Amino acid sequence: MRKHGMRFIAGLLALLALGSTASAAGAAGPPDRYAYAGGCYALPGLPGGQHVRFQATTLGEYLLYLPDRTFIVARAGEDAGVAPEPSLAAEWVASEATGGALTLTPKLAGGRAVTITPVPADGCAVYPEAPLDATNVPGPALSYGTVNGIVEGHMHWMTYEYFGGRFHCGRPWHKYGIAYALPDCASVEGPQGVDAPFQNFFNYGNPAQPHDTSGFPKLASFSRDNLTYEGTYWRWIQRAWAGGLRMMVMGVNENRVLCELQAVKETNCNEMDTVRRAVRDMRELQKYVDAQAGGPGKGFMEIVTDPQQARRAINAGKMAVLLEIEISEPFDCRSADQPTCSQAKVDKDLDEMHDIGIRSMLLLNKYDNPLTGVRFDSGPTGVLINAANRASAGSFFDAKTCTGRLHDNTIETGSPALSALVTGVFGGAGVGGGTAPVYPPAPHCNTKGLTALGKHVVTRMMDKGMIVNPDHMSQAAVDDTLTLLEARKYSGVISPHGWMDPGNWPRLWKLGGIAFPGHSAAPDYVKDWQDYRPASTPYKFGWGYGADLGGLSHQPKPVSGAAAGGTLTYPFKSADGRGVVLSRQKTGDRTFDYAREGVAHYGLYADWFADLARLGGPQMAADMNSGAEAYLEMWERATGTPSSRACRSPRVALTSAGLPALRIGADWTALLQRAGQPQQRTVAWSYCVAGQGNTRAADVAVLSAAGKVVLVGSRAVGRSVRRVFVGSSVRALRSLRGVRSVGAGVYTRRRSASRVEVFSVRGGRVRVVGVATASLARSGRVLRAAVAQVRRAKASSVLPTYQPSKIESKTGGALRGFSLAGSADPTTNRGLALLCQLQMGAY
């Protein structure tokens, strides 16, 4: 929207607030127990208490940090003392006491609570943290309006929990701060990292590669190619948010078979238990982020469970986080030939997952299961995964030569030596020997599609308004799933990270779902967007990405020079057009440079967004910034909101209540459920109207700052109030008793104590008819501004249709040739294949 338009709406909102937010000014009281976070205070009577930094460990709990980098600690049966490191004894629970005092209760049993009045001070030490390296971060927007921002469709924020909790080094947050979240990885990998051959082969291609394991502040080995060091530290995610990220789908990932092959574990390998742990972790992370910002709901992120909550969160300036499952054995379902789960078990567990906040789900990850067949991995990775499939599903993959244009990845038999190693590994895991089949010629399709139990799960997901993610399904299962969705006209479907033949994408777009590749170097990603972007879709269109960070996925590499059309330079402005200025990201002693390192951690996705906008131009920037809105509108339809693809009949007059679907006084959420998705979603929500002369006409609901409908108006031929129609001459209006002018061609007539009829006249004819609240009409200026919104609201009865992409047009409807999932990174292939040799004692 143009800047002057935004200023107009901001002014109108101020007018429509109607004094509801006014309050008497008064002296500020003492901070609540959350507001001390990050503050510098004197705490008289405590050791070293002249300069104390309150460092939040969670909501309302603190470390008391001193200038010499020590901590005030409780001691059992004694007064407080000082210690060099944080511990349970250093954690204090704050509660508000009378007279502005604060009671600090130690978490250490036997420690003594103190009640004290903190005095603002200066000279406190700064607790170590990663800077945001972003300025001009914007504030909230219209709570019920269109959101602007990027959608991340597939990432793994709780990776530290998987493979038994000892495979990954670091975690997204720690209650004691960054030095504990990003520790020296020698604790996992041994001195110089030489005791972690599997991780080393993933990261370096050499199982005995010595390397610098140091964590914060040095971070020497953190890079886009390091798949086992933490890349999603919370402040790095916050930097991506500052760069335009507004919607994140956070998937919980686990693999029981590979977990059980790990020699050292802290947790069990049950995939559903990992989901439960990770969801609890996400709630704790949200509390931690809120605590740093000063209280509940004040952080930059919010876990959301419905699209209305997500819209409010994003427009409040936050990043909405939707929780997803991506595991191979959902509901403990494995052994496709002899299922370990029943329909009753699936129903019970799906209800549990929904209750804890899961709103999106893949029915599998790497293996066939009793719900669905899988899309194969190819290359050496596929040989390993095929053997693991036997350990999980009870048999090797069964493939046939595809006869249609869509297919799965090619599955290989593998060399006899590698097959023998794989058999040895899984024999040690309790699976007997066996030889993988010799597969027919490619292209390959898994013979297994969506089972009856899988169809039941998809149907239950639709009943619950959940998002169906068919990525990783076999082509047969994708086809089965989309057929189910099409029968219900169900929009809630997404393919966000390249694990589906893109020839299926048009079916998703026609349903109102969304699809896009995962990630790649910026020039390659722009090329994919240019090739695969449809010319138009029936519903709101947006593009996004799936970082898959935490999912053993290498991140976008740096590209510069002529191949990249130059280089992104610092500082740069955020890709969302909000004017956030970002400089090189610095964490501890390390300064990260996207132009030289690519996406070395998640925070550099902000740089990648800006590079996409630089290379792809305004249209790509617009598509990326429409991603979050496209996702929310898809989710709204999945949860029962009618779409915008039905224009209203003009043969209904306005009453004192408005129109049948647009009711005066309705809350915006009630308006959404009753009237459906509007074509315009600002302070004025517009809906198309059918009939001759109404191509650009609209029924419009104007909302107050609080989100209540205060005016229902129409400029559609056929609409009327008191038999004064849109298009009537001004004489018809003047024939009504009690009509008065409020200026600028706007006329009113009192209908009741609470309602006023409204008319707008241009060129001697009535152009708008409407009904408003009496409180809105008390001010002629406010009413004129609201009527202007009705006149300007955009709508069209010519509804968009699906028009194919550049590549689809060239190939006569086929999107073949595009594959992210079929060619894993060579290092990843080597690392997975090496697991076999490690377990056989070769290293």
Side-chain angles (χ1 to χ4, degrees):
M1 182 179 291
R2 295 176 180 175
K3 290 184 177 179
H4 76 269
M6 295 177 68
R7 287 196 298 268
F8 178 84
I9 288 179
L12 178 60
L13 279 172
L15 293 171
L16 293 178
L18 301 177
S20 61
T21 59
S23 61
D32 64 29
R33 67 192 185 102
Y34 306 114
Y36 289 95
C40 179
Y41 295 91
L43 302 179
L46 290 179
Q50 295 86 358
H51 309 283
V52 179
R53 179 76 65 188
F54 276 62
Q55 175 61 28
T57 58
T58 188
L59 286 167
E61 299 181 14
Y62 299 96
L63 302 174
L64 303 178
Y65 188 57
L66 300 178
D68 61 357
R69 300 183 181 179
T70 60
F71 301 83
I72 298 176
V73 296
R75 297 183 292 189
E78 301 181 39
D79 291 338
V82 174
E85 301 291 340
S87 64
L88 186 67
E91 297 178 41
W92 300 82
V93 180
S95 57
E96 294 153 37
T98 59
L102 191 70
T103 296
L104 296 171
T105 303
K107 297 185 77 171
L108 179 72
R112 294 175 179 173
V114 295
T115 298
I116 200 165
T117 301
V119 179
D122 53 23
C124 293
V126 176
Y127 202 76
E129 188 51 278
L132 200 58
D133 294 304
T135 58
N136 302 328
V137 177
L142 183 64
S143 65
Y144 49 81
T146 298
V147 303
N148 179 67
I150 296 167
V151 61
E152 153 67 286
H154 193 83
M155 70 86 72
H156 304 288
W157 209 347
M158 295 295 128
T159 301
Y160 80 97
E161 287 282 15
Y162 81 167
F163 284 10
R166 291 282 293 172
F167 174 81
H168 183 84
C169 179
R171 51 183 291 168
W173 92 106
H174 192 285
K175 63 181 178 178
Y176 297 156
I178 190 170
Y180 291 80
L182 306 178
D184 191 313
C185 293
S187 61
V188 173
E189 299 179 338
Q192 293 188 297
V194 296
D195 294 338
F198 185 27
Q199 288 92 327
N200 286 341
F201 214 88
F202 263 115
N203 297 327
Y204 306 107
N206 178 1
Q209 177 68 43
H211 57 276
D212 191 335
T213 63
S214 59
F216 181 86
K218 193 174 179 182
L219 303 174
S221 297
F222 285 67
S223 73
R224 57 168 290 273
D225 291 320
N226 193 315
L227 304 181
T228 62
Y229 282 21
E230 181 57 55
T232 62
Y233 182 64
W234 76 275
R235 283 287 279 182
W236 295 341
I237 304 285
Q238 188 177 13
R239 186 172 190 271
W241 160 80
L245 179 60
R246 286 298 180 271
M247 181 81 203
M248 172 184 283
V249 181
M250 199 297 291
V252 182
N253 191 241
E254 181 60 288
N255 188 304
R256 176 188 61 84
V257 175
L258 297 184
C259 173
E260 288 177 349
L261 295 177
Q262 301 301 309
V264 180
K265 296 183 284 289
E266 292 181 349
T267 60
N268 68 31
C269 295
N270 180 279
E271 297 183 7
M272 293 295 287
D273 283 348
T274 299
V275 172
R276 295 177 182 103
R277 284 191 295 269
V279 170
R280 288 195 297 269
D281 294 340
M282 282 298 301
R283 304 285 180 190
E284 289 302 314
L285 172 59
Q286 179 172 292
K287 289 196 293 185
Y288 180 84
V289 170
D290 281 349
Q292 309 314 306
K298 294 187 177 181
F300 78 94
M301 57 162 282
E302 182 177 333
I303 299 168
V304 296
T305 56
D306 65 63
Q308 291 76 35
Q309 181 192 4
R311 188 173 298 279
R312 290 189 191 96
I314 295 172
N315 280 327
K318 300 182 183 183
M319 178 184 75
V321 180
L322 180 142
L323 302 180
E324 180 180 70
I325 297 175
E326 183 193 25
I327 57 179
S328 294
E329 299 172 352
F331 319 125
D332 299 321
C333 289
R334 60 178 184 266
S335 185
D337 298 327
Q338 295 180 328
T340 58
C341 59
S342 63
Q343 182 172 308
K345 173 73 162 59
V346 163
D347 287 344
K348 177 177 177 292
D349 285 2
L350 184 60
D351 288 343
E352 178 198 354
M353 293 298 101
H354 191 270
D355 288 345
I356 66 174
I358 301 296
R359 292 296 181 270
S360 181
M361 181 175 166
L362 296 85
L363 269 62
L364 79 172
N365 181 215
K366 288 297 181 183
Y367 314 134
D368 294 334
N369 64 34
L371 309 179
T372 180
V374 73
R375 181 176 174 85
F376 308 132
D377 281 82
S378 60
T381 304
V383 177
L384 173 69
I385 297 301
N386 197 0
N389 189 78
R390 189 165 187 267
S392 175
S395 63
F396 291 108
F397 292 135
D398 187 20
K400 65 181 181 180
T401 300
C402 298
T403 56
R405 64 183 180 86
L406 306 181
H407 54 80
D408 296 321
N409 295 323
T410 299
I411 180 68
E412 298 178 12
T413 302
S415 68
L418 182 56
S419 296
L421 287 171
V422 169
T423 299
V425 170
F426 292 102
V431 179
T435 302
V438 175
Y439 292 105
H444 286 153
C445 280
N446 193 332
T447 61
K448 292 181 172 64
L450 195 66
T451 68
L453 187 57
K455 291 177 182 178
H456 174 76
V457 172
V458 172
T459 300
R460 287 289 318 281
M461 289 178 67
M462 289 192 284
D463 293 342
K464 289 177 173 292
M466 295 177 69
I467 307 304
V468 179
N469 185 338
D471 275 1
H472 288 288
M473 282 185 178
S474 67
Q475 178 54 44
V478 170
D479 183 64
D480 293 339
T481 299
L482 294 180
T483 298
L484 281 176
L485 303 183
E486 288 161 346
R488 290 263 295 256
K489 298 182 180 179
Y490 190 79
S491 280
V493 57
I494 179 173
S495 175
H497 75 309
W499 271 95
M500 174 193 292
D501 191 310
N504 295 289
W505 288 358
R507 293 176 71 182
L508 273 69
W509 288 321
K510 291 172 185 177
L511 279 168
I514 55 180
F516 38 79
H519 60 272
S520 56
D524 298 332
Y525 208 75
V526 170
K527 180 66 165 55
D528 289 338
W529 166 78
Q530 290 169 337
D531 286 344
Y532 294 97
R533 183 198 193 278
S536 70
T537 57
Y539 300 93
K540 177 73 175 181
F541 179 78
W543 202 253
Y545 71 105
D548 209 7
L549 208 163
L552 300 180
S553 175
H554 293 258
Q555 297 304 295
K557 64 183 179 181
V559 180
S560 59
T567 301
L568 181 72
T569 57
Y570 294 93
F572 62 87
K573 288 189 176 181
S574 59
D576 60 1
R578 289 184 171 94
V580 178
V581 178
L582 296 103
S583 54
R584 286 181 179 84
Q585 204 287 313
K586 183 174 183 180
T587 301
D589 299 337
R590 179 84 180 272
T591 299
F592 294 91
D593 189 328
Y594 166 81
R596 291 187 298 104
E597 303 178 68
V599 179
H601 63 62
Y602 202 98
L604 274 73
Y605 267 107
D607 311 49
W608 187 75
F609 302 156
D611 211 18
L612 294 182
R614 179 181 70 87
L615 296 171
Q619 184 60 63
M620 181 162 202
D623 284 352
M624 292 292 288
N625 289 316
S626 295
E629 178 64 30
Y631 193 101
L632 292 190
E633 292 190 20
M634 172 194 71
W635 194 8
E636 286 174 348
R637 292 188 295 272
T639 53
T641 298
S643 77
S644 59
R645 296 193 59 77
C647 298
R648 287 154 174 76
S649 168
R651 301 182 184 280
V652 177
L654 281 80
T655 68
S656 60
L659 286 166
L662 280 62
R663 313 295 284 185
I664 294 289
D667 173 81
W668 71 269
T669 58
L671 174 65
L672 187 65
Q673 291 304 311
R674 189 174 188 125
Q677 294 178 319
Q679 291 192 356
Q680 173 183 295
R681 203 183 302 226
T682 61
V683 293
W685 286 23
S686 66
Y687 299 85
C688 64
V689 182
Q692 188 174 0
N694 287 333
T695 301
R696 299 292 177 186
D699 289 338
V700 181
V702 179
L703 291 85
S704 70
K708 299 280 188 180
V709 177
V710 292
L711 168 65
V712 174
S714 181
R715 59 174 195 268
V717 175
R719 288 278 186 251
S720 65
V721 171
R722 298 281 184 183
R723 298 199 59 78
V724 175
F725 289 84
V726 171
S728 295
S729 71
V730 72
R731 292 192 301 274
L733 174 61
R734 289 172 178 167
S735 69
L736 295 178
R737 292 183 179 180
V739 173
R740 70 182 186 92
S741 171
V742 295
V746 177
Y747 296 81
T748 63
R749 180 181 182 276
R750 181 175 175 179
R751 185 169 188 131
S752 68
S754 61
R755 297 289 184 270
V756 172
E757 297 164 352
V758 180
F759 308 88
S760 176
V761 174
R762 290 287 176 89
R765 294 200 172 274
V766 175
R767 304 300 181 185
V768 172
V769 298
V771 178
T773 62
S775 58
L776 178 72
R778 288 194 190 106
S779 166
R781 180 186 175 203
V782 173
L783 182 62
R784 290 194 301 271
V787 171
Q789 286 293 304
V790 179
R791 290 199 306 267
R792 296 171 180 170
K794 295 179 180 179
S796 175
S797 61
V798 180
L799 301 177
T801 58
Y802 180 78
Q803 299 295 326
S805 65
K806 184 188 300 184
I807 279 189
E808 192 178 359
S809 297
K810 286 181 179 178
T811 58
L815 291 180
R816 294 175 63 182
F818 171 85
S819 178
L820 287 179
S823 53
D825 186 283
T827 303
T828 304
N829 283 337
R830 290 195 304 266
L832 286 170
L834 179 74
L835 176 60
C836 309
Q837 300 175 54
L838 296 177
Q839 297 299 324
M840 291 296 289
Y843 291 97

